[in-house]
Amino acid sequence: MELKNDRLLADFFRRDTVLVARELIGKTLTRVFDDGTMRRYVITETEAYCGQSDLACHTSKGRTKRTQVMFEAGGLVYVYLIYGQYWLLNFVTEQEGSGSAVLIRGLKGHDGPGKLGRELKLNKSFYGENLESSTRIWLENANPVNQISEHPRVGIHYAGEPWISKLWLYKAD
């Protein structure tokens, strides 16, 4: 995969979602805030959502205004609001039409997708942001993490088996 100034380019994301979710552990998320402050965070927890056949994935219900970006080619941001107050951060994966993405569940010092959305000051304007060209959010390469544990995804009881037992949640140990 090609790197430019250590920024992860679209080809990193245009691969198998489970592989991308695992390989995002330890990568650096860079955020430039409105006041010009730049902060770097280490990704510590991710979850894979693997397209329309994955009943836990938002795209399992088809293409909607909310999920449209998930059907684009990998390398874009997918954000959505839960409980009317938390913007959750996802990165679109695979090729156009896949409907797949990786949820970022944790950053070093910021556990939980809602909390990290607040830390990053996410809002609807990030929907569809291109990670390769964005001037306010992107990912950078880092040394691989050797100790990664696999777990069932959180809060997807509605999806039923085999989806609730898939070990598609990754954590740095």
Side-chain angles (χ1 to χ4, degrees):
M1 92 201 59
E2 188 180 339
L3 295 174
K4 181 179 179 184
N5 297 329
D6 282 342
R7 184 185 284 224
L8 297 179
L9 301 181
D11 62 342
F12 174 86
F13 300 96
R14 293 178 183 168
R15 301 177 300 139
D16 177 76
T17 303
V18 171
L19 180 65
V20 172
R22 185 177 181 84
E23 290 185 6
L24 280 170
I25 300 296
K27 299 288 191 253
T28 302
L29 187 150
T30 302
R31 173 75 168 97
V32 177
F33 295 93
D34 291 346
D35 67 359
T37 303
M38 178 187 285
R39 297 213 43 210
R40 287 187 164 85
Y41 305 86
V42 175
I43 297 174
T44 58
E45 189 174 344
T46 63
E47 278 183 346
Y49 288 90
C50 299
Q52 291 185 275
S53 64
D54 176 356
L55 296 184
C57 186
H58 288 167
T59 59
S60 68
K61 306 282 190 277
R63 194 180 297 246
T64 65
K65 185 176 179 184
R66 175 182 176 182
T67 63
Q68 178 60 39
V69 74
M70 291 179 72
F71 289 96
E72 300 297 323
L76 303 176
V77 173
Y78 168 49
V79 292
Y80 61 92
L81 189 65
I82 62 166
Y83 309 128
Q85 61 183 340
Y86 299 108
W87 287 96
L88 302 193
L89 178 63
N90 299 258
F91 302 133
V92 176
T93 56
E94 300 196 24
Q95 299 304 313
E96 185 174 345
S98 169
S100 301
V102 173
L103 171 66
I104 306 304
R105 291 193 52 82
L107 302 172
K108 190 171 186 176
H110 304 279
D111 294 330
K115 289 179 182 176
L116 75 88
R118 282 205 169 152
E119 168 67 20
L120 296 172
K121 297 183 180 356
L122 298 177
N123 57 49
K124 188 176 183 172
S125 75
F126 283 88
Y127 184 92
E129 188 96 4
N130 186 322
L131 293 165
E132 193 170 298
S133 60
S134 177
T135 58
R136 60 187 183 154
I137 191 168
W138 64 87
L139 290 140
E140 296 175 2
N141 205 15
N143 291 329
V145 173
N146 295 324
Q147 299 293 328
I148 298 173
S149 57
E150 301 174 346
H151 307 270
R153 295 176 291 180
V154 175
I156 60 160
H157 314 332
Y158 58 86
E161 289 294 353
W163 308 108
I164 60 177
S165 295
K166 297 275 186 191
L167 301 179
W168 287 349
L169 185 154
Y170 300 96
K171 293 182 182 182
D173 291 334

